[in-house]
């Protein structure tokens, strides 16, 4: 890192009223950053070396001022901006905090957490309960910050998907990473500290565990031997800093709710909104913030298009549009604003003691929009904005994701990856860790995914086979030595060649049984993750399927120790049956197969070969039980099985360069076998589903992977049922937002206000609501009590009421303006007393009649046309009575007749107005009835569709169990057949009454009915 600049204060406590004051210079800088930003915020007690650490992370001794004692200034948050180390297209924003009392600390703590993608909590010496309990600010997060206002939502759970990574930096310490006699790594040590307060749910450590999905520990020795910051730094300290630097470089950029990438412009807007609400003591609701960003076009305008600034001289600039500003109102550049930079410079120097030159110097790189201060006499030109494009690494996602301008609709129809990427890293200490860049790619896919994972012993050619599936000669890394090549789990996403509208996700796993790694527990987790994520699991082995090969597949016997279906399993039978409903289909690929496919002298198929190898032995001896164990597990957990055998692909000499060989250089039999394998996998592999036939998209698959890996890292056993419920909350909340946003955008876009009548508005509402409800139904699942559907109904109802009110107001305003225009001559005559003459009443009536005729001829007056005219006639009736009384050309009898005639005419208009109001009210009530019926009908359709899927899945599993039971009886394994009979009975009992019962439908009807007042 180089070309660093001086820091700029970003937020400080106002000396006037104690509110949070945002520096317009800092906002100006942020708004020039159009790339995704990585935001690193440091927080902690005074005198713990936060500024010094941030400077070291930035690769610079000088930057943030390092205090020697006491408070430096008014409490503030300062900012530095520089290029990211890797990749080069992103920007690092460092935020330093200093000098707070308790009240101020809470506000700045919340700001630092909400703005950052990596939150550094900096303390000195060892972590003790006393140190931990000082971090009381974390307890305030859930009372100050909410994701949504939907009742009954677990805010802690929802916040954990939004908040940054929590990194505890322990300074000037040599931590003893032990618990008793057990040596721990840094992560386990931190968890052990947090777990010391298990009996206190309000302890800060418990809040950190619940609110921050990722929490890390980095410890640092004294930077110098004698604490002198002027001396050379210790090599050990520098290595520790570099470790943290590498970690930060691997983290994902700042994102807002729903995975929306945040650039400087959005970050500045978020800062303003947060500071405003914290100063006012108002709770921060992230869904509301997101809606403000969307309505304010922050997403549309900020990403990825940048404005151009035309050349102007100083005179032109002085006359240009200038935003108003004061000490109390931070200034924000809007796109297209033309600003006199000299005026800005004078303002900054007067109010902030920081000129625009200093402001520009803070950006160490060439910004997308370059503001050059005008000094000296050369003021004839102005730099134009320099526009670029997002980096190639994120180009595919970045351009398409932001095209929609909404974080929830930011989806990719499919994705084409040229090469695989690491999805789950196996760290040096054999800990599983999600790779954020790959996770972002996967989250961006909203198509259903077909997930094919391959597992097997190392050096058995798994990667070569997966490259065949991808249709590419190279991709997944091959190796030509005895060392394992693939580490962790690698992912390759491609458009499915045989299933349009689907994405093929290939997962290549680290070889099992690697002698260099020597960690069976880690192998078990790799195998379990492949099972959990895939819809088809390929097990790759060499030679033949014999007892040794089956013993090598001992990982399958360990599955129940590493995966559970429910949080509480009622019985072993329930457990085994439950697994088969979640697990993928199983394909055994036997490589370098040299035997003849024969049994008792008769040819057999590959599938018969597999089933023969899986046949059980009768008996109860220990040896027989050990023999049967892996076979029973495969039969129980993987009811759908397939087998393929492969000849050696080429000669031994060519095996080291397989990826360089042409198809014609491979053995013909292998080519044919590989084609049959690929045709089956691509044709027969089903899309990934959850129990009940719930389809999985790339976004949901990413959330599943994170849920499972987090559970494993915390020492817990992944629970399939809990994962589904957690996904349902996330997906249903997103479905509500996505459906409502569609309704809101469509009705506001298509409504040509004022509408001619209420029916036009009602028809449009019905169409938009139907589309929105379809979006919600197609995306939501397990909304068992219709909580989320009711929220959507309520939000749409409220939005419709608002737009009806807006329609009425616009109609009223249009009609009033129209009458003023049409009656201009009439008003002029009234003002000049033209009608106060003999015969003036007849002239008045004629002019009024002409005004009414012209008004009635005008179109698109809207629903307030009759009411507005009625009000107008009432007002003119009073004036007419005065003119009639003064008209000396009429007798008293004639005046009385005219007065009665005017009253009849006015009554007619009032009746017409009342009739129109009643019709509009009736139409709106009918809208509510139609909405209610639409919700009920679409819900019933969805429930019926879900029921059919569940029945289909259930019958498929039941038939498979019946086939297995029949085979066991034929082979004489009565005990195993009886076990299957128990599973079959359980499946049949689960299959009865799958249709929704009357009481359930009644609850649904009441839940939706309450929204519409029924």
């Amino acid at each position: 890192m180089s070309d660093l600049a001086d820091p700029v204060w970003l937020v400080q406590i106002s000396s006037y009223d104690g509110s949070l004051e945002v520096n317009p210079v800092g906002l100006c800088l942020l708004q020039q950053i159009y790339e995704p930003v990585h935001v690193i915020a440091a927080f902690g007690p005074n005198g713990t070396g936060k500024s010094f650490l941030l400077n070291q992370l930035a690769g610079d001794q000088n930057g943030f001022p390092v205090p020697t004692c006491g408070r430096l200034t008014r409490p503030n948050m300062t900012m530095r901006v520089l290029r990211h180390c890797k990749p080069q297209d992103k920007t690092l924003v460092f935020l330093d905090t200093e000098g707070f009392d308790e009240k101020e600390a809470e506000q700045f703590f919340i700001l630092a957490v909400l703005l950052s993608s990596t939150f550094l909590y900096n303390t000195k010496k060892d972590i003790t309960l006393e140190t931990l309990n000082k971090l009381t600010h974390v307890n305030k997060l859930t009372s100050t910050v909410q994701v949504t206002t939907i009742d009954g939502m677990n805010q802690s759970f929802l916040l954990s998907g939004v908040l940054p990574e929590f990194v505890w930096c322990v300074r000037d310490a040599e931590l003893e990473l032990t618990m008793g006699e057990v040596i721990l790594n840094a992560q386990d040590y931190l968890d052990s500290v947090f777990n010391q307060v298990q009996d206190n749910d309000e302890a800060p450590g418990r809040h950190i565990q619940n609110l921050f999905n990722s929490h890390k520990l980095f410890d640092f020795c004294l930077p110098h031997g004698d604490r002198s910051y002027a001396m050379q730094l210790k090599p050990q300290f520098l290595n520790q800093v570099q470790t943290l630097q590498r970690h930060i470089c691997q983290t994902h950029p700042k994102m807002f709710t729903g995975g929306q990438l945040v650039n400087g412009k959005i970050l500045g807007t978020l800062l303003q909104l947060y500071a405003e609400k914290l100063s006012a003591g108002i709770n921060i609701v992230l869904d509301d913030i997101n809606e403000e960003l969307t309505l304010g076009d922050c997403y549309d305008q900020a990403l990825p298009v940048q404005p151009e600034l035309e050349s102007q001289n100083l005179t032109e600039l002085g006359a240009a549009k200038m935003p108003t500003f004061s000490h109390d109102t931070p200034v924000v550049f809007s796109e297209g604003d033309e600003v006199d930079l000299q005026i800005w410079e004078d303002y900054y120097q007067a109010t902030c003691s920081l000129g625009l030159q200093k402001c520009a110097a803070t950006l160490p790189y060439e910004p997308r929009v370059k503001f050059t201060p005008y000094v000296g006499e050369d003021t004839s030109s102005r730099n134009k904005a320099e526009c670029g494009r997002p980096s190639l690494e994120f180009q595919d996602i970045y351009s398409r994701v932001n095209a929609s301008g909404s974080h929830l609709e930011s989806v990719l129809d499919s994705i084409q990856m040229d090469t695989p990427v690491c999805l789950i890293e196996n760290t040096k200490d054999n800990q599983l860790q999600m790779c954020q860049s790959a996770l972002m790619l996967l989250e961006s896919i909203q198509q259903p995914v077909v997930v094919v994972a391959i597992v097997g012993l190392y050096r058995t050619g798994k990667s070569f086979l997966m490259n065949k599936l991808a249709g590419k000669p190279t991709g997944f890394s091959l190796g030509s030595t005895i060392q394992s090549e693939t580490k962790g789990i690698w992912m390759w996403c491609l458009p499915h060649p045989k299933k349009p509208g689907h994405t093929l996700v290939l997962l290549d796993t680290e070889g099992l049984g690697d002698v260099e790694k020597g960690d069976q527990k880690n192998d078990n987790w790799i195998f379990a993750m492949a099972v959990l994520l895939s819809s088809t699991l390929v097990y790759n082995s060499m030679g033949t399927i014999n007892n040794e090969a089956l013993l090598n597949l001992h990982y399958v016997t360990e599955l129940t120790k590493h995966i559970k279906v429910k949080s509480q399993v009622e019985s072993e039978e329930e457990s085994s049956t439950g697994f088969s409903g979640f697990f993928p289909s199983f394909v055994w690929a036997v490589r370098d197969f040299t035997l003849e496919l024969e049994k008792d002298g008769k040819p057999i198929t590959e599938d018969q070969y597999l089933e023969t190898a899986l046949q059980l032995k009768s008996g109860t001896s220990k040896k027989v039980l050990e023999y049967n164990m892996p076979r029973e597990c495969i039969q129980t957990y993987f009811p759908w099985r397939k087998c393929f055998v492969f000849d050696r692909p080429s000669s031994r000499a060519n095996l080291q360069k397989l990826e360089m060989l042409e198809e014609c250089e491979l053995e013909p039999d292998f080519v044919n076998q590989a084609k049959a394998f690929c045709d089956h996998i691509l044709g027969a592999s089903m899309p990934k589903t959850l129990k009940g036939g719930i389809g999985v998209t790339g976004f949901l698959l990413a959330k599943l992977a994170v849920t499972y890996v987090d559970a494993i890292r915390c020492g817990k056993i992944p629970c399939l049922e809990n994962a589904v419920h957690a996904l349902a909350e996330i997906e249903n909340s997103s479905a509500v937002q996505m459906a409502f946003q569609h309704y809101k955008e469509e009705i506001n876009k298509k409504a040509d206000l004022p509408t001619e009548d209420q029916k036009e508005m009602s028809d449009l509402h019905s169409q938009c609501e139907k589309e929105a409800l379809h979006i919600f139904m197609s995306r939501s699942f397990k909304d068992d009590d219709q909580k989320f559907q009711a929220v959507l109904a309520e939000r749409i109802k409220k939005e419709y009421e608002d737009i009806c009110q807006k329609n009425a107001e616009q109609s009223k305003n249009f009609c009033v303006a129209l009458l003023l225009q049409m009656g201009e001559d009439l008003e002029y005559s009234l003002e000049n007393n033209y009608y106060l003459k003999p015969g003036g009443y007849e002239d008045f009536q004629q002019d009024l009649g002409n005004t009414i005729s012209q008004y009635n001829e005008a179109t698109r007056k809207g629903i307030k046309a009759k009411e507005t005219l009625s009000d107008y006639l009432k007002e003119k009736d009073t004036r007419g009575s005065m003119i009639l009384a003064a008209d000396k050309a009429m007798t008293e009898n004639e005046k009385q007749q005219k007065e009665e005639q005017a009253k009849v005419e006015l009554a007619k208009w009032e009746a017409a107005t009342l009739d129109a109001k009643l019709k509009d009210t009736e139409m709106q009530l009918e809208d509510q009835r139609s909405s209610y019926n639409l919700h009920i009908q679409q819900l019933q359709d969805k429930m019926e569709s879900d029921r059919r899927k569940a029945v289909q899945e259930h019958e498929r599993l039941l038939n498979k169990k019946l086939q297995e039971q029949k085979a066991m009886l034929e082979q004489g394994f009565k005990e195993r057949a009886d076990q299957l009979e128990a599973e079959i009975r359980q499946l049949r009992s689960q299959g009865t009454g799958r249709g929704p019962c009357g009481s359930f439908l009644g609850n649904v009807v009441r839940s939706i009915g309450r929204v519409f007042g029924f």
Side-chain angles (χ1 to χ4, degrees), residues 180 183-184 237 287-289 666 720 760 965 1008:
I183 299 176
L184 304 175
F237 176 80
D287 273 358
D288 293 346
I289 296 285
L666 299 174
L720 303 176
E760 182 181 339
Q965 185 190 34
I1008 302 299

Side-chain angles (χ1 to χ4, degrees), residues 324 476 929:
T324 58
F476 290 112
R929 284 191 289 270

Side-chain angles (χ1 to χ4, degrees), residues 354-408:
L354 182 65
L356 190 62
Q357 251 181 322
K358 184 99 170 218
C359 166
T362 311
L363 285 176
Y365 57 91
E366 197 169 53
R368 296 294 179 92
V369 181
K370 188 160 59 180
F371 290 93
T372 304
Y374 290 87
V375 292
E377 298 186 4
D378 184 12
T379 58
S380 60
S381 65
R382 179 177 183 175
N383 294 67
K384 291 185 178 180
E386 296 184 0
C387 300
R389 63 171 186 170
S391 70
L392 290 177
E393 179 180 347
F394 278 84
Q395 179 67 28
D396 191 35
I397 296 178
Y398 200 62
S399 59
R400 286 195 251 175
V401 161
N402 291 290
S404 66
S406 172
H407 75 282
L408 289 170

Side-chain angles (χ1 to χ4, degrees), residues 453-462 484 508-514 523 526-527 530 537-542 552-553 555 588-589:
I454 192 165
V455 294
L457 299 180
Y458 78 110
R459 309 307 310 124
T460 54
K462 299 186 301 298
S484 175
D508 188 16
T509 63
E510 179 172 336
L512 307 174
D514 186 352
D523 284 348
I526 292 285
F527 185 86
L537 180 72
V538 179
Y539 180 69
N540 191 75
S541 70
M542 303 287 284
N552 284 334
L553 192 50
Y555 308 100
W588 195 317

Side-chain angles (χ1 to χ4, degrees), residues 451-456 466 507 509 512 526-540 553 555-556 559 583-589 637-638 640-642 677 681 685:
V451 189
V452 181
I454 192 165
V455 294
M466 293 300 271
L507 300 178
T509 63
L512 307 174
I526 292 285
F527 185 86
M529 286 299 299
V531 170
L532 289 169
L533 296 179
S534 64
S535 51
T536 296
L537 180 72
V538 179
Y539 180 69
N540 191 75
L553 192 50
Y555 308 100
V556 77
L559 279 175
F583 281 4
S585 58
F586 181 86
V587 176
W588 195 317
Y637 300 143
F638 302 104
W640 296 278
R641 302 181 290 273
K642 186 77 178 169
F677 169 79
I681 296 294
S685 292

Side-chain angles (χ1 to χ4, degrees), residues 406-576:
S406 172
H407 75 282
L408 289 170
E409 291 85 355
S410 300
V411 298
L412 296 183
D413 290 334
S414 78
I415 193 165
Q416 177 73 52
M417 293 170 55
D418 294 331
T419 57
V421 295
C422 183
L423 177 65
I424 302 175
E425 179 187 3
N426 212 356
T427 62
K428 291 181 180 179
D429 54 355
N430 291 338
Q431 291 288 318
L432 301 185
Q433 176 176 295
M434 297 301 304
C435 295
Q436 295 301 326
S437 57
L439 193 63
M440 288 173 63
L441 286 169
L442 191 55
E443 285 179 339
S444 67
I445 300 172
Q446 287 296 332
Q447 286 187 338
V449 289
V450 177
V451 189
V452 181
I454 192 165
V455 294
L457 299 180
Y458 78 110
R459 309 307 310 124
T460 54
K462 299 186 301 298
S463 301
F464 180 69
L465 204 56
M466 293 300 271
N467 289 340
K468 285 290 180 186
L469 275 177
K472 303 290 180 65
T474 60
F476 290 112
S477 179
L478 308 184
S480 58
T481 70
I482 61 171
Q483 289 181 308
S484 175
E485 189 71 19
T486 304
K487 298 296 182 184
I489 298 179
W490 285 66
M491 174 184 74
W492 201 351
C493 300
L494 303 159
H496 200 292
K498 294 191 176 182
K499 288 183 171 65
H502 290 68
T503 296
L504 177 65
V505 179
L506 302 177
L507 300 178
D508 188 16
T509 63
E510 179 172 336
L512 307 174
D514 186 352
V515 292
E516 289 187 3
K517 182 173 70 173
D519 189 337
Q520 183 174 323
K521 182 179 179 181
N522 183 259
D523 284 348
N524 282 329
W525 284 128
I526 292 285
F527 185 86
M529 286 299 299
V531 170
L532 289 169
L533 296 179
S534 64
S535 51
T536 296
L537 180 72
V538 179
Y539 180 69
N540 191 75
S541 70
M542 303 287 284
T544 60
I545 303 179
N546 52 25
N547 193 51
E548 181 182 356
L550 283 159
L551 290 176
N552 284 334
L553 192 50
H554 59 85
Y555 308 100
V556 77
T557 67
E558 304 284 325
L559 279 175
T560 53
K561 298 178 184 178
H562 295 86
I563 303 171
K564 57 183 179 180
V565 176
K566 298 183 178 181
S567 53
Q568 291 183 344
V569 179
E570 296 177 5
S571 65
E572 184 179 348
E573 288 79 8
E574 181 185 25
S575 175
S576 61

Side-chain angles (χ1 to χ4, degrees), residues 26 52 133 143 149 165 187 208 219 243 354 385 419 586 606 670 695 795 802 835 845 871 892 950 956:
F52 179 75
N133 289 333
S143 61
T149 53
E165 180 181 53
Q187 182 65 44
I208 293 171
D219 59 316
T243 301
L354 182 65
T419 57
F586 181 86
E606 294 158 304
F670 175 84
R795 294 184 71 179
D802 289 346
Y835 301 115
Q845 286 292 332
D871 293 342
E892 290 300 322
R956 182 167 169 254

Side-chain angles (χ1 to χ4, degrees), residues 992-1011:
T992 59
R994 281 192 171 269
C997 63
S999 62
F1000 176 74
L1001 283 175
N1003 291 334
V1004 171
V1005 168
R1006 284 191 291 272
S1007 175
I1008 302 299
R1010 278 193 294 270
V1011 175

